[in-house]
Amino acid sequence: MKRKTKGYIVAVISILFSVFLIVLALALSNLAKGDTRERSQDTADYRKWSVPEKYTHFLIFPEEIPAEAEEVETEKEISEVPSETVDTEIPAEIPADEPGEAPAPQKKGFFARLKEGLTKTRNSISDSFNNLFKASELDDDFYDELEETLVMSDMGYETTERIVEDLKARVKEEHIKEAQACRDLVINIIRDQMQVDETAYDFENKKTVVLVIGVNGVGKTTSIGKLAAQYKARGKKVLMAAADTFRAAAIDQLKTWANRAGVDIIAQNEGADPSAVVYDAVAAAKSRNTDILLIDTAGRLHNKKNLMDELAKMRRIITREYPEANVESLIVLDGTTGQNALEQARQFSSVTEINGIIITKLDGTAKGGIAIAIQSELNVPVKYIGIGEQIDDLQKFDPNSYVNALFADFDMRSDVEILVDENIENIPKDDDLFDMN
């Protein structure tokens, strides 16, 4: 009896355990089905909110395709979308005023670039210059501070002394008592130190041979190339001569500029006799009816006698072989070297005649006053100035523009007003025009 009872109990437990397993399996099955329905609903919602319902059948979702075929299949599905529903046209040109697109920068004029290039020079003297004319009296301290300010801008001692003495004479003559009244007077006196004669550029309209001299590294070859390009643009027939046969790569550099300017060049091998190059160039200029012959010369100051003999020989050849031509000698000086540039000009002027000066690299120099000192002390006109690397960055020297750019921060007028001729005040007024008395 006990055995049967024990057997019934085991059977009941087995049945209950089986029922428990079945219930558990059913519960897990329902839970899995519920999760699947939620994910299906999420996918449907995703499709519903991503695009309009009528287009959902065109979309491909990542879970619906194999990973390795995703890119190819997606492209295929997109290509099947009707063309009217997908605007893939790209505008051929975006307007310049579209947001986010910067307008093309406009090139500044020469005066604006000159003014910008002389910024460091202005900054070096601006505070002293402004404070100087706030003085109440024209005493010795005023003139001492004026001298110091001008010397700081590399105008040189001789030029500064000349300016101060001229100022004292005018102050006495005009009975000026206040320092403020001297500001424009000082600027005008500085301008008077560097006037260029009207005939300074007459050589450009004659048959001319231009000897370009200067030490190495000041920009001789580059200046020749820029002048050649500008002369040709004005309709001149230009020829170059590579007479700097001592400096490595000088000939190749000048050939590069000749190609860039589109002019012919006469050159020989490195180490050739410079005078022989000049002889060939003069003969070519005569036969080709050249307007301007530009000759690049060697720049060596360490042996003054050899330099003098070489330049003298070149001049003799030009005068003998081309007597009808005008000979112009231009020295190129680096504006960043300040008083050293003035000393170079002195040394060259002692060995050869100099008709004009080219000052290069005035963009960004704090020694812009050297242009005033060179012209004032040597009595040789500055004819061209360079303020950049482009061909049109070498321009004829205009003393008015130069002084206006140098002292622009001390003038209350605008840049446009600065450039207006000061004689505008002499124009008769309307009342004067109709005055019958």
Side-chain angles (χ1 to χ4, degrees), residues 59-93:
L59 301 180
I60 303 297
F61 295 93
E63 66 270 16
E64 298 176 355
I65 57 175
E68 63 273 9
E70 180 177 348
E71 181 177 356
V72 176
E73 292 296 327
T74 301
E75 292 177 356
K76 181 178 179 181
E77 290 291 334
I78 291 176
S79 65
E80 294 176 0
V81 179
S83 60
E84 66 270 16
T85 65
V86 181
D87 184 11
T88 59
E89 183 179 356
I90 300 176
E93 182 177 355

PDB file of all heavy atoms in Angstrom, residues 59-93:
ATOM      1  N   LEU A  59      11.935  52.727 -50.490  1.00  0.00           N
ATOM      2  CA  LEU A  59      13.076  52.819 -49.591  1.00  0.00           C
ATOM      3  C   LEU A  59      13.608  51.454 -49.210  1.00  0.00           C
ATOM      4  O   LEU A  59      12.871  50.490 -49.100  1.00  0.00           O
ATOM      5  CB  LEU A  59      12.694  53.596 -48.328  1.00  0.00           C
ATOM      6  CG  LEU A  59      12.199  55.028 -48.575  1.00  0.00           C
ATOM      7  CD1 LEU A  59      11.839  55.696 -47.264  1.00  0.00           C
ATOM      8  CD2 LEU A  59      13.259  55.820 -49.310  1.00  0.00           C
ATOM      9  N   ILE A  60      14.881  51.396 -48.981  1.00  0.00           N
ATOM     10  CA  ILE A  60      15.562  50.163 -48.585  1.00  0.00           C
ATOM     11  C   ILE A  60      16.137  50.382 -47.201  1.00  0.00           C
ATOM     12  O   ILE A  60      16.868  51.346 -46.967  1.00  0.00           O
ATOM     13  CB  ILE A  60      16.694  49.807 -49.571  1.00  0.00           C
ATOM     14  CG1 ILE A  60      16.129  49.690 -50.988  1.00  0.00           C
ATOM     15  CG2 ILE A  60      17.405  48.530 -49.155  1.00  0.00           C
ATOM     16  CD1 ILE A  60      15.110  48.578 -51.152  1.00  0.00           C
ATOM     17  N   PHE A  61      15.815  49.494 -46.260  1.00  0.00           N
ATOM     18  CA  PHE A  61      16.326  49.614 -44.901  1.00  0.00           C
ATOM     19  C   PHE A  61      17.437  48.596 -44.689  1.00  0.00           C
ATOM     20  O   PHE A  61      17.416  47.516 -45.258  1.00  0.00           O
ATOM     21  CB  PHE A  61      15.203  49.401 -43.884  1.00  0.00           C
ATOM     22  CG  PHE A  61      14.166  50.480 -43.973  1.00  0.00           C
ATOM     23  CD1 PHE A  61      13.042  50.315 -44.778  1.00  0.00           C
ATOM     24  CD2 PHE A  61      14.337  51.665 -43.295  1.00  0.00           C
ATOM     25  CE1 PHE A  61      12.094  51.317 -44.862  1.00  0.00           C
ATOM     26  CE2 PHE A  61      13.392  52.662 -43.382  1.00  0.00           C
ATOM     27  CZ  PHE A  61      12.269  52.497 -44.170  1.00  0.00           C
ATOM     28  N   PRO A  62      18.377  48.928 -43.836  1.00  0.00           N
ATOM     29  CA  PRO A  62      19.555  48.072 -43.673  1.00  0.00           C
ATOM     30  C   PRO A  62      19.206  46.643 -43.278  1.00  0.00           C
ATOM     31  O   PRO A  62      19.860  45.714 -43.723  1.00  0.00           O
ATOM     32  CB  PRO A  62      20.351  48.776 -42.570  1.00  0.00           C
ATOM     33  CG  PRO A  62      19.938  50.212 -42.664  1.00  0.00           C
ATOM     34  CD  PRO A  62      18.506  50.180 -43.068  1.00  0.00           C
ATOM     35  N   GLU A  63      18.162  46.465 -42.435  1.00  0.00           N
ATOM     36  CA  GLU A  63      17.891  45.100 -41.974  1.00  0.00           C
ATOM     37  C   GLU A  63      17.299  44.230 -43.062  1.00  0.00           C
ATOM     38  O   GLU A  63      17.183  43.015 -42.907  1.00  0.00           O
ATOM     39  CB  GLU A  63      16.954  45.135 -40.753  1.00  0.00           C
ATOM     40  CG  GLU A  63      15.560  45.655 -41.043  1.00  0.00           C
ATOM     41  CD  GLU A  63      15.480  47.158 -40.869  1.00  0.00           C
ATOM     42  OE1 GLU A  63      16.544  47.795 -40.824  1.00  0.00           O
ATOM     43  OE2 GLU A  63      14.357  47.682 -40.763  1.00  0.00           O
ATOM     44  N   GLU A  64      16.903  44.819 -44.187  1.00  0.00           N
ATOM     45  CA  GLU A  64      16.225  44.055 -45.222  1.00  0.00           C
ATOM     46  C   GLU A  64      17.161  43.513 -46.297  1.00  0.00           C
ATOM     47  O   GLU A  64      16.739  42.772 -47.163  1.00  0.00           O
ATOM     48  CB  GLU A  64      15.165  44.936 -45.893  1.00  0.00           C
ATOM     49  CG  GLU A  64      14.088  45.402 -44.929  1.00  0.00           C
ATOM     50  CD  GLU A  64      13.109  46.341 -45.586  1.00  0.00           C
ATOM     51  OE1 GLU A  64      13.349  46.689 -46.747  1.00  0.00           O
ATOM     52  OE2 GLU A  64      12.124  46.719 -44.946  1.00  0.00           O
ATOM     53  N   ILE A  65      18.442  43.924 -46.268  1.00  0.00           N
ATOM     54  CA  ILE A  65      19.362  43.469 -47.302  1.00  0.00           C
ATOM     55  C   ILE A  65      20.650  42.999 -46.666  1.00  0.00           C
ATOM     56  O   ILE A  65      21.014  43.408 -45.565  1.00  0.00           O
ATOM     57  CB  ILE A  65      19.675  44.612 -48.294  1.00  0.00           C
ATOM     58  CG1 ILE A  65      20.248  45.813 -47.540  1.00  0.00           C
ATOM     59  CG2 ILE A  65      18.459  45.023 -49.068  1.00  0.00           C
ATOM     60  CD1 ILE A  65      20.701  46.922 -48.444  1.00  0.00           C
ATOM     61  N   PRO A  66      21.395  42.111 -47.315  1.00  0.00           N
ATOM     62  CA  PRO A  66      22.696  41.670 -46.802  1.00  0.00           C
ATOM     63  C   PRO A  66      23.675  42.843 -46.758  1.00  0.00           C
ATOM     64  O   PRO A  66      23.635  43.725 -47.608  1.00  0.00           O
ATOM     65  CB  PRO A  66      23.150  40.614 -47.825  1.00  0.00           C
ATOM     66  CG  PRO A  66      21.908  40.220 -48.541  1.00  0.00           C
ATOM     67  CD  PRO A  66      21.005  41.409 -48.537  1.00  0.00           C
ATOM     68  N   ALA A  67      24.567  42.819 -45.778  1.00  0.00           N
ATOM     69  CA  ALA A  67      25.510  43.925 -45.609  1.00  0.00           C
ATOM     70  C   ALA A  67      26.403  44.095 -46.818  1.00  0.00           C
ATOM     71  O   ALA A  67      26.704  45.210 -47.234  1.00  0.00           O
ATOM     72  CB  ALA A  67      26.359  43.689 -44.352  1.00  0.00           C
ATOM     73  N   GLU A  68      26.856  42.985 -47.424  1.00  0.00           N
ATOM     74  CA  GLU A  68      27.801  43.104 -48.532  1.00  0.00           C
ATOM     75  C   GLU A  68      27.160  43.628 -49.794  1.00  0.00           C
ATOM     76  O   GLU A  68      27.833  44.083 -50.709  1.00  0.00           O
ATOM     77  CB  GLU A  68      28.459  41.747 -48.825  1.00  0.00           C
ATOM     78  CG  GLU A  68      27.496  40.638 -49.281  1.00  0.00           C
ATOM     79  CD  GLU A  68      26.896  39.899 -48.099  1.00  0.00           C
ATOM     80  OE1 GLU A  68      27.110  40.376 -46.965  1.00  0.00           O
ATOM     81  OE2 GLU A  68      26.251  38.868 -48.282  1.00  0.00           O
ATOM     82  N   ALA A  69      25.827  43.586 -49.885  1.00  0.00           N
ATOM     83  CA  ALA A  69      25.149  44.054 -51.101  1.00  0.00           C
ATOM     84  C   ALA A  69      24.435  45.381 -50.873  1.00  0.00           C
ATOM     85  O   ALA A  69      23.708  45.854 -51.727  1.00  0.00           O
ATOM     86  CB  ALA A  69      24.127  43.001 -51.573  1.00  0.00           C
ATOM     87  N   GLU A  70      24.658  46.006 -49.711  1.00  0.00           N
ATOM     88  CA  GLU A  70      23.907  47.193 -49.337  1.00  0.00           C
ATOM     89  C   GLU A  70      24.091  48.337 -50.321  1.00  0.00           C
ATOM     90  O   GLU A  70      23.124  48.928 -50.781  1.00  0.00           O
ATOM     91  CB  GLU A  70      24.329  47.627 -47.934  1.00  0.00           C
ATOM     92  CG  GLU A  70      23.587  48.878 -47.461  1.00  0.00           C
ATOM     93  CD  GLU A  70      23.985  49.236 -46.043  1.00  0.00           C
ATOM     94  OE1 GLU A  70      24.627  48.422 -45.395  1.00  0.00           O
ATOM     95  OE2 GLU A  70      23.652  50.345 -45.610  1.00  0.00           O
ATOM     96  N   GLU A  71      25.327  48.643 -50.669  1.00  0.00           N
ATOM     97  CA  GLU A  71      25.592  49.795 -51.519  1.00  0.00           C
ATOM     98  C   GLU A  71      25.015  49.614 -52.914  1.00  0.00           C
ATOM     99  O   GLU A  71      24.365  50.485 -53.461  1.00  0.00           O
ATOM    100  CB  GLU A  71      27.103  50.034 -51.603  1.00  0.00           C
ATOM    101  CG  GLU A  71      27.456  51.233 -52.459  1.00  0.00           C
ATOM    102  CD  GLU A  71      28.948  51.493 -52.455  1.00  0.00           C
ATOM    103  OE1 GLU A  71      29.665  50.782 -51.735  1.00  0.00           O
ATOM    104  OE2 GLU A  71      29.382  52.395 -53.197  1.00  0.00           O
ATOM    105  N   VAL A  72      25.214  48.409 -53.515  1.00  0.00           N
ATOM    106  CA  VAL A  72      24.729  48.155 -54.866  1.00  0.00           C
ATOM    107  C   VAL A  72      23.215  48.184 -54.917  1.00  0.00           C
ATOM    108  O   VAL A  72      22.607  48.787 -55.797  1.00  0.00           O
ATOM    109  CB  VAL A  72      25.258  46.796 -55.373  1.00  0.00           C
ATOM    110  CG1 VAL A  72      24.665  46.477 -56.740  1.00  0.00           C
ATOM    111  CG2 VAL A  72      26.770  46.824 -55.426  1.00  0.00           C
ATOM    112  N   GLU A  73      22.568  47.526 -53.944  1.00  0.00           N
ATOM    113  CA  GLU A  73      21.116  47.456 -53.955  1.00  0.00           C
ATOM    114  C   GLU A  73      20.494  48.824 -53.717  1.00  0.00           C
ATOM    115  O   GLU A  73      19.474  49.167 -54.285  1.00  0.00           O
ATOM    116  CB  GLU A  73      20.628  46.464 -52.892  1.00  0.00           C
ATOM    117  CG  GLU A  73      20.968  45.008 -53.195  1.00  0.00           C
ATOM    118  CD  GLU A  73      20.261  44.528 -54.444  1.00  0.00           C
ATOM    119  OE1 GLU A  73      19.127  44.998 -54.705  1.00  0.00           O
ATOM    120  OE2 GLU A  73      20.832  43.714 -55.164  1.00  0.00           O
ATOM    121  N   THR A  74      21.116  49.617 -52.847  1.00  0.00           N
ATOM    122  CA  THR A  74      20.578  50.949 -52.575  1.00  0.00           C
ATOM    123  C   THR A  74      20.602  51.804 -53.828  1.00  0.00           C
ATOM    124  O   THR A  74      19.637  52.497 -54.144  1.00  0.00           O
ATOM    125  CB  THR A  74      21.388  51.617 -51.461  1.00  0.00           C
ATOM    126  OG1 THR A  74      21.325  50.800 -50.301  1.00  0.00           O
ATOM    127  CG2 THR A  74      20.817  52.987 -51.136  1.00  0.00           C
ATOM    128  N   GLU A  75      21.707  51.752 -54.573  1.00  0.00           N
ATOM    129  CA  GLU A  75      21.794  52.522 -55.809  1.00  0.00           C
ATOM    130  C   GLU A  75      20.726  52.069 -56.799  1.00  0.00           C
ATOM    131  O   GLU A  75      20.133  52.874 -57.510  1.00  0.00           O
ATOM    132  CB  GLU A  75      23.179  52.362 -56.425  1.00  0.00           C
ATOM    133  CG  GLU A  75      24.276  53.005 -55.594  1.00  0.00           C
ATOM    134  CD  GLU A  75      25.633  52.768 -56.210  1.00  0.00           C
ATOM    135  OE1 GLU A  75      25.696  52.055 -57.225  1.00  0.00           O
ATOM    136  OE2 GLU A  75      26.608  53.300 -55.663  1.00  0.00           O
ATOM    137  N   LYS A  76      20.479  50.751 -56.827  1.00  0.00           N
ATOM    138  CA  LYS A  76      19.475  50.222 -57.760  1.00  0.00           C
ATOM    139  C   LYS A  76      18.092  50.726 -57.410  1.00  0.00           C
ATOM    140  O   LYS A  76      17.321  51.136 -58.272  1.00  0.00           O
ATOM    141  CB  LYS A  76      19.515  48.700 -57.725  1.00  0.00           C
ATOM    142  CG  LYS A  76      18.515  48.049 -58.673  1.00  0.00           C
ATOM    143  CD  LYS A  76      18.643  46.541 -58.616  1.00  0.00           C
ATOM    144  CE  LYS A  76      17.623  45.876 -59.537  1.00  0.00           C
ATOM    145  NZ  LYS A  76      17.720  44.410 -59.477  1.00  0.00           N
ATOM    146  N   GLU A  77      17.763  50.724 -56.095  1.00  0.00           N
ATOM    147  CA  GLU A  77      16.446  51.175 -55.686  1.00  0.00           C
ATOM    148  C   GLU A  77      16.255  52.665 -55.955  1.00  0.00           C
ATOM    149  O   GLU A  77      15.207  53.094 -56.380  1.00  0.00           O
ATOM    150  CB  GLU A  77      16.242  50.873 -54.196  1.00  0.00           C
ATOM    151  CG  GLU A  77      16.098  49.389 -53.854  1.00  0.00           C
ATOM    152  CD  GLU A  77      14.794  48.817 -54.373  1.00  0.00           C
ATOM    153  OE1 GLU A  77      13.828  49.602 -54.525  1.00  0.00           O
ATOM    154  OE2 GLU A  77      14.743  47.624 -54.642  1.00  0.00           O
ATOM    155  N   ILE A  78      17.279  53.446 -55.658  1.00  0.00           N
ATOM    156  CA  ILE A  78      17.162  54.887 -55.865  1.00  0.00           C
ATOM    157  C   ILE A  78      16.956  55.199 -57.337  1.00  0.00           C
ATOM    158  O   ILE A  78      16.208  56.092 -57.714  1.00  0.00           O
ATOM    159  CB  ILE A  78      18.409  55.589 -55.332  1.00  0.00           C
ATOM    160  CG1 ILE A  78      18.425  55.487 -53.809  1.00  0.00           C
ATOM    161  CG2 ILE A  78      18.431  57.046 -55.753  1.00  0.00           C
ATOM    162  CD1 ILE A  78      19.672  56.063 -53.188  1.00  0.00           C
ATOM    163  N   SER A  79      17.623  54.421 -58.217  1.00  0.00           N
ATOM    164  CA  SER A  79      17.488  54.676 -59.653  1.00  0.00           C
ATOM    165  C   SER A  79      16.095  54.381 -60.159  1.00  0.00           C
ATOM    166  O   SER A  79      15.708  54.836 -61.225  1.00  0.00           O
ATOM    167  CB  SER A  79      18.507  53.812 -60.417  1.00  0.00           C
ATOM    168  OG  SER A  79      18.205  52.430 -60.259  1.00  0.00           O
ATOM    169  N   GLU A  80      15.310  53.580 -59.384  1.00  0.00           N
ATOM    170  CA  GLU A  80      13.957  53.245 -59.821  1.00  0.00           C
ATOM    171  C   GLU A  80      12.918  54.278 -59.401  1.00  0.00           C
ATOM    172  O   GLU A  80      11.779  54.211 -59.789  1.00  0.00           O
ATOM    173  CB  GLU A  80      13.566  51.876 -59.238  1.00  0.00           C
ATOM    174  CG  GLU A  80      14.400  50.738 -59.803  1.00  0.00           C
ATOM    175  CD  GLU A  80      14.068  49.423 -59.139  1.00  0.00           C
ATOM    176  OE1 GLU A  80      13.197  49.433 -58.253  1.00  0.00           O
ATOM    177  OE2 GLU A  80      14.645  48.410 -59.524  1.00  0.00           O
ATOM    178  N   VAL A  81      13.328  55.255 -58.571  1.00  0.00           N
ATOM    179  CA  VAL A  81      12.383  56.283 -58.148  1.00  0.00           C
ATOM    180  C   VAL A  81      12.026  57.158 -59.342  1.00  0.00           C
ATOM    181  O   VAL A  81      12.909  57.570 -60.080  1.00  0.00           O
ATOM    182  CB  VAL A  81      12.989  57.130 -57.012  1.00  0.00           C
ATOM    183  CG1 VAL A  81      11.997  58.213 -56.587  1.00  0.00           C
ATOM    184  CG2 VAL A  81      13.349  56.242 -55.845  1.00  0.00           C
ATOM    185  N   PRO A  82      10.760  57.488 -59.582  1.00  0.00           N
ATOM    186  CA  PRO A  82      10.374  58.349 -60.698  1.00  0.00           C
ATOM    187  C   PRO A  82      11.125  59.669 -60.648  1.00  0.00           C
ATOM    188  O   PRO A  82      11.304  60.256 -59.586  1.00  0.00           O
ATOM    189  CB  PRO A  82       8.865  58.556 -60.474  1.00  0.00           C
ATOM    190  CG  PRO A  82       8.433  57.374 -59.666  1.00  0.00           C
ATOM    191  CD  PRO A  82       9.593  57.010 -58.808  1.00  0.00           C
ATOM    192  N   SER A  83      11.561  60.176 -61.827  1.00  0.00           N
ATOM    193  CA  SER A  83      12.408  61.358 -61.896  1.00  0.00           C
ATOM    194  C   SER A  83      11.718  62.591 -61.346  1.00  0.00           C
ATOM    195  O   SER A  83      12.365  63.487 -60.839  1.00  0.00           O
ATOM    196  CB  SER A  83      12.845  61.603 -63.343  1.00  0.00           C
ATOM    197  OG  SER A  83      11.696  61.794 -64.157  1.00  0.00           O
ATOM    198  N   GLU A  84      10.384  62.661 -61.455  1.00  0.00           N
ATOM    199  CA  GLU A  84       9.716  63.856 -60.992  1.00  0.00           C
ATOM    200  C   GLU A  84       9.712  63.976 -59.480  1.00  0.00           C
ATOM    201  O   GLU A  84       9.414  65.037 -58.931  1.00  0.00           O
ATOM    202  CB  GLU A  84       8.273  63.907 -61.506  1.00  0.00           C
ATOM    203  CG  GLU A  84       7.364  62.812 -60.956  1.00  0.00           C
ATOM    204  CD  GLU A  84       7.394  61.582 -61.846  1.00  0.00           C
ATOM    205  OE1 GLU A  84       8.322  61.499 -62.665  1.00  0.00           O
ATOM    206  OE2 GLU A  84       6.486  60.756 -61.747  1.00  0.00           O
ATOM    207  N   THR A  85      10.038  62.911 -58.773  1.00  0.00           N
ATOM    208  CA  THR A  85       9.996  62.967 -57.310  1.00  0.00           C
ATOM    209  C   THR A  85      11.355  63.234 -56.707  1.00  0.00           C
ATOM    210  O   THR A  85      11.451  63.476 -55.515  1.00  0.00           O
ATOM    211  CB  THR A  85       9.471  61.624 -56.748  1.00  0.00           C
ATOM    212  OG1 THR A  85      10.405  60.597 -57.069  1.00  0.00           O
ATOM    213  CG2 THR A  85       8.121  61.302 -57.324  1.00  0.00           C
ATOM    214  N   VAL A  86      12.404  63.207 -57.496  1.00  0.00           N
ATOM    215  CA  VAL A  86      13.756  63.422 -56.982  1.00  0.00           C
ATOM    216  C   VAL A  86      14.428  64.503 -57.809  1.00  0.00           C
ATOM    217  O   VAL A  86      14.633  64.333 -59.001  1.00  0.00           O
ATOM    218  CB  VAL A  86      14.600  62.129 -57.038  1.00  0.00           C
ATOM    219  CG1 VAL A  86      15.991  62.404 -56.476  1.00  0.00           C
ATOM    220  CG2 VAL A  86      13.908  61.027 -56.265  1.00  0.00           C
ATOM    221  N   ASP A  87      14.741  65.608 -57.166  1.00  0.00           N
ATOM    222  CA  ASP A  87      15.377  66.716 -57.854  1.00  0.00           C
ATOM    223  C   ASP A  87      16.885  66.611 -57.655  1.00  0.00           C
ATOM    224  O   ASP A  87      17.416  66.940 -56.607  1.00  0.00           O
ATOM    225  CB  ASP A  87      14.856  68.038 -57.291  1.00  0.00           C
ATOM    226  CG  ASP A  87      15.416  69.229 -58.043  1.00  0.00           C
ATOM    227  OD1 ASP A  87      16.025  69.013 -59.109  1.00  0.00           O
ATOM    228  OD2 ASP A  87      15.242  70.353 -57.552  1.00  0.00           O
ATOM    229  N   THR A  88      17.583  66.102 -58.674  1.00  0.00           N
ATOM    230  CA  THR A  88      19.026  65.928 -58.579  1.00  0.00           C
ATOM    231  C   THR A  88      19.792  66.955 -59.391  1.00  0.00           C
ATOM    232  O   THR A  88      20.998  66.878 -59.531  1.00  0.00           O
ATOM    233  CB  THR A  88      19.422  64.528 -59.079  1.00  0.00           C
ATOM    234  OG1 THR A  88      19.000  64.393 -60.436  1.00  0.00           O
ATOM    235  CG2 THR A  88      18.792  63.460 -58.225  1.00  0.00           C
ATOM    236  N   GLU A  89      19.078  67.942 -59.942  1.00  0.00           N
ATOM    237  CA  GLU A  89      19.748  68.941 -60.774  1.00  0.00           C
ATOM    238  C   GLU A  89      20.586  69.870 -59.908  1.00  0.00           C
ATOM    239  O   GLU A  89      20.122  70.387 -58.895  1.00  0.00           O
ATOM    240  CB  GLU A  89      18.704  69.753 -61.546  1.00  0.00           C
ATOM    241  CG  GLU A  89      19.349  70.769 -62.495  1.00  0.00           C
ATOM    242  CD  GLU A  89      18.298  71.546 -63.254  1.00  0.00           C
ATOM    243  OE1 GLU A  89      17.104  71.229 -63.089  1.00  0.00           O
ATOM    244  OE2 GLU A  89      18.674  72.462 -63.999  1.00  0.00           O
ATOM    245  N   ILE A  90      21.849  70.077 -60.317  1.00  0.00           N
ATOM    246  CA  ILE A  90      22.767  70.959 -59.596  1.00  0.00           C
ATOM    247  C   ILE A  90      22.902  72.256 -60.380  1.00  0.00           C
ATOM    248  O   ILE A  90      23.169  72.228 -61.580  1.00  0.00           O
ATOM    249  CB  ILE A  90      24.148  70.307 -59.443  1.00  0.00           C
ATOM    250  CG1 ILE A  90      24.004  69.001 -58.655  1.00  0.00           C
ATOM    251  CG2 ILE A  90      25.120  71.251 -58.745  1.00  0.00           C
ATOM    252  CD1 ILE A  90      25.310  68.249 -58.533  1.00  0.00           C
ATOM    253  N   PRO A  91      22.709  73.376 -59.752  1.00  0.00           N
ATOM    254  CA  PRO A  91      22.836  74.649 -60.486  1.00  0.00           C
ATOM    255  C   PRO A  91      24.208  74.780 -61.130  1.00  0.00           C
ATOM    256  O   PRO A  91      25.220  74.429 -60.534  1.00  0.00           O
ATOM    257  CB  PRO A  91      22.639  75.715 -59.386  1.00  0.00           C
ATOM    258  CG  PRO A  91      21.897  75.007 -58.299  1.00  0.00           C
ATOM    259  CD  PRO A  91      22.355  73.583 -58.358  1.00  0.00           C
ATOM    260  N   ALA A  92      24.243  75.270 -62.374  1.00  0.00           N
ATOM    261  CA  ALA A  92      25.515  75.394 -63.090  1.00  0.00           C
ATOM    262  C   ALA A  92      26.404  76.455 -62.470  1.00  0.00           C
ATOM    263  O   ALA A  92      27.615  76.364 -62.495  1.00  0.00           O
ATOM    264  CB  ALA A  92      25.254  75.736 -64.562  1.00  0.00           C
ATOM    265  N   GLU A  93      25.804  77.465 -61.868  1.00  0.00           N
ATOM    266  CA  GLU A  93      26.608  78.552 -61.303  1.00  0.00           C
ATOM    267  C   GLU A  93      25.927  79.084 -60.059  1.00  0.00           C
ATOM    268  O   GLU A  93      24.736  79.339 -60.045  1.00  0.00           O
ATOM    269  CB  GLU A  93      26.759  79.683 -62.331  1.00  0.00           C
ATOM    270  CG  GLU A  93      27.635  80.835 -61.820  1.00  0.00           C
ATOM    271  CD  GLU A  93      27.824  81.902 -62.874  1.00  0.00           C
ATOM    272  OE1 GLU A  93      27.347  81.673 -64.004  1.00  0.00           O
ATOM    273  OE2 GLU A  93      28.424  82.938 -62.568  1.00  0.00           O
TER     274      GLU A  93
END
